[in-house]
């Protein structure tokens, strides 16, 4: 549930930031009468995203075991692609997202009212569909069917509260730093989703080695303990993974995390390069 909460928080905050930027622009430019078109576009995007998530779940339920495992593997790999693209995109766009959205909205206003609704719809639907795929992929293998729904709901609710507080200027957070560290956590979550996709391929018989384990630490990490469940639910770290699962987790997680944090590491000054204070 923690991993799904993080997905809901991260994706939800992106959506609420987009909406708050659009709303603030219209309010400050004395165009409040156009807000209804923004909300119409947002509502349509939310409904389509929820329907897409329900379609994923319903479609998978009609498949045989082997085909269901293949379907879940494809969903896992698609989620990994989406989350990888999203975290690198947000790292690059966090500082100039507001100016870009305001420019697009100004162009939409010149076209017409429904262009505003379409612009709001397109701005939100990408995040909404990403959230649906990530939610479906991350929810696979959970023992309690209610936990994923609770996690995504709490994450989205938290993001709405944070978005409203930011809009009202009640709080100010460093969004670049926020998206950097949540992005790093999501890299590890995505590594777990990628590992789960490989496991599904092994379960379906596409890949071999379902009984070839890389290691067994069930004695030190009993599966029924709360911390083992937390590691499994958050990053899909299990006490008895297969060799291919381990290769998948490490092969994705380590290089992607290094590439994601590399700009941050380059900006961190070394002790020798830090300026010396001359103040008394």
């Amino acid at each position: 549930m923690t991993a799904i909460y993080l997905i809901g928080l991260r994706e939800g905050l992106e959506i609420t930031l987009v909406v708050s930027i659009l709303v603030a622009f219209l309010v400050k430019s004395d165009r409040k009468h156009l807000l209804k078109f923004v909300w119409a576009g947002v509502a349509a995007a939310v409904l389509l995203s929820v329907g897409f998530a329900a379609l994923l779940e319903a479609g998978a339920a009609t498949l045989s075991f082997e085909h269901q495992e293949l379907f879940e593997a494809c969903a896992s790999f698609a989620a990994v692609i989406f989350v990888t693209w999203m975290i690198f995109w947000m790292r690059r766009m966090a500082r100039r997202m507001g100016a870009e959205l305001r420019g697009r909205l100004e162009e939409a206003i010149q076209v017409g009212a429904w262009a505003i609704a379409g612009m709001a719809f397109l701005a939100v639907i990408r995040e909404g569909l990403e959230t649906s795929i990530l939610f479906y992929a991350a929810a696979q293998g959970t023992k309690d069917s209610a936990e994923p729904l609770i996690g995504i709901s709490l994450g989205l609710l938290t993001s709405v509260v944070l978005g409203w507080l930011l809009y009202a200027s009640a709080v100010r957070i460093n969004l670049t730093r926020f998206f950097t560290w949540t992005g790093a956590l999501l890299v590890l979550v995505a590594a777990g989703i990628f590992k789960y996709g490989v496991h599904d391929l092994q379960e379906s018989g596409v890949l071999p080695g379902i009984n070839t384990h890389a290691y067994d630490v069930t004695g030190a990490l009993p599966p029924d303990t709360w911390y083992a469940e937390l590691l499994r639910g958050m990053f899909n770290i299990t006490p008895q993974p297969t060799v291919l699962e381990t290769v998948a987790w490490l092969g994705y997680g380590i290089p992607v995390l290094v590439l994601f944090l590399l700009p941050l590491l380059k900006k961190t000054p070394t002790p020798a390069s830090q300026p010396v204070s001359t103040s008394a």
Side-chain angles (χ1 to χ4, degrees), residues 11 18 60 89 95-96 112 171 191 219 226:
E11 293 286 328
V18 167
W89 181 84
R95 293 183 178 179
R96 63 175 187 267
V171 297
W226 67 267

Side-chain angles (χ1 to χ4, degrees), residues 80 84 187-188 190-192 194-195 198 243-259:
V80 170
T84 305
V187 170
L188 301 181
F194 187 62
K195 173 190 169 186
V198 171
V243 172
L244 287 181
E245 286 178 324
T246 304
V247 170
W249 201 102
L250 295 174
Y252 172 89
I254 293 177
V256 174
L257 187 61
V258 170
L259 287 173

Side-chain angles (χ1 to χ4, degrees), residues 6-7 10-11 14 79-93 126-127 130-131 134 179 182-183 186 260:
L6 179 63
I7 290 171
R10 171 66 184 249
E11 293 286 328
E14 288 187 39
V80 170
I81 293 172
F82 275 124
V83 75
T84 305
W85 178 86
M86 176 263 293
I87 59 177
F88 281 95
W89 181 84
M90 271 310 293
R91 189 190 64 182
R92 186 178 72 254
M93 293 295 296
R126 180 182 64 83
E127 305 294 343
E130 278 184 13
T131 304
L134 288 171
F179 284 120
T182 56
L186 280 179
F260 181 73

